[in-house]
Amino acid sequence: MIINLKQTNVKKLALAALLIAVAVVGSLFSFPIFQSRCAPVQHMVNILCAVFLGPSYGLAAALIASLLRNLLSLGSILAFPGSMFGALLCGLVFKYTKNIWATCLGEVFGTAILGGLSAYPIAIAFMGKAAGDIAFYAYVIPFLVSTAVGALLSALIITTLQRSGILNTIQSKLGD
């Protein structure tokens, strides 16, 4: 039993690392909207982590991906609130509902509304008052666009995996 638990943790850690790498490399495919760089791949990864790994792994993966993106100059400090609120909320929604569309909405709400609004004090602290003064337009709207695109991508991937039966196989191998 202990061996199985350790094997499951190794599998989950390996998948989390792979998804973090996808998020970091995927941030090369970003587009600017106002003051923000929209990276929909991060939001797709948040939802995939929620479905495959759960809220705690999803939150950790979002934190590590945001940190790596910042260290590699592939994202801004605003990657933290944007990705982490979405990752946690969509992870919790999937854990309790197992509904893909509700999970996608959790990601969109968590990132666009909670993450976008929490970007305001972070923008003021790290980017100056001028950046904070335009918080709604500069953060909520771009976060909404980015997360909506990522949510649609992940919904397409997950529904395809569901229809083929691969999603159940992956989840059972990970112990969920």
Side-chain angles (χ1 to χ4, degrees):
M1 183 73 168
I2 293 174
I3 293 173
N4 272 346
L5 183 61
K6 286 183 181 179
Q7 287 175 346
T8 300
N9 286 338
V10 169
K11 289 176 186 176
K12 285 185 174 185
L13 285 172
L15 182 56
L18 177 70
L19 290 171
I20 290 167
V22 169
V24 172
V25 172
S27 67
L28 293 170
F29 306 104
S30 65
F31 52 92
I33 293 184
F34 300 120
Q35 299 291 320
S36 181
R37 288 169 77 186
C38 298
V41 174
Q42 175 66 56
H43 309 292
M44 177 192 75
V45 166
N46 285 351
I47 295 169
L48 293 176
C49 281
V51 172
F52 296 140
L53 303 170
S56 58
Y57 277 91
L59 181 60
L63 173 67
I64 294 167
S66 295
L67 182 63
L68 289 172
R69 288 172 58 204
N70 273 273
L71 290 172
L72 297 170
S73 297
L74 297 173
S76 74
I77 193 78
L78 302 177
F80 288 98
S83 65
M84 292 175 58
F85 276 107
L88 180 60
L89 191 57
C90 75
L92 291 171
V93 169
F94 187 78
K95 179 179 180 178
Y96 293 110
T97 68
K98 303 295 187 214
N99 183 301
I100 301 302
W101 294 106
T103 302
C104 290
L105 288 175
E107 167 66 23
V108 170
F109 181 80
T111 297
I113 305 304
L114 300 177
L117 292 176
S118 68
Y120 175 78
I122 292 171
I124 289 175
F126 291 98
M127 300 166 80
K129 183 157 176 22
D133 287 342
I134 55 172
F136 179 78
Y137 299 105
Y139 309 122
V140 172
I141 293 172
F143 284 12
L144 178 64
V145 171
S146 183
T147 192
V149 172
L152 288 175
L153 288 171
S154 63
L156 178 66
I157 291 168
I158 293 168
T159 54
T160 301
L161 292 174
Q162 272 181 324
R163 288 184 183 147
S164 67
I166 296 172
L167 181 63
N168 288 334
T169 303
I170 293 171
Q171 287 175 326
S172 68
K173 298 249 185 224
L174 293 171
D176 286 344

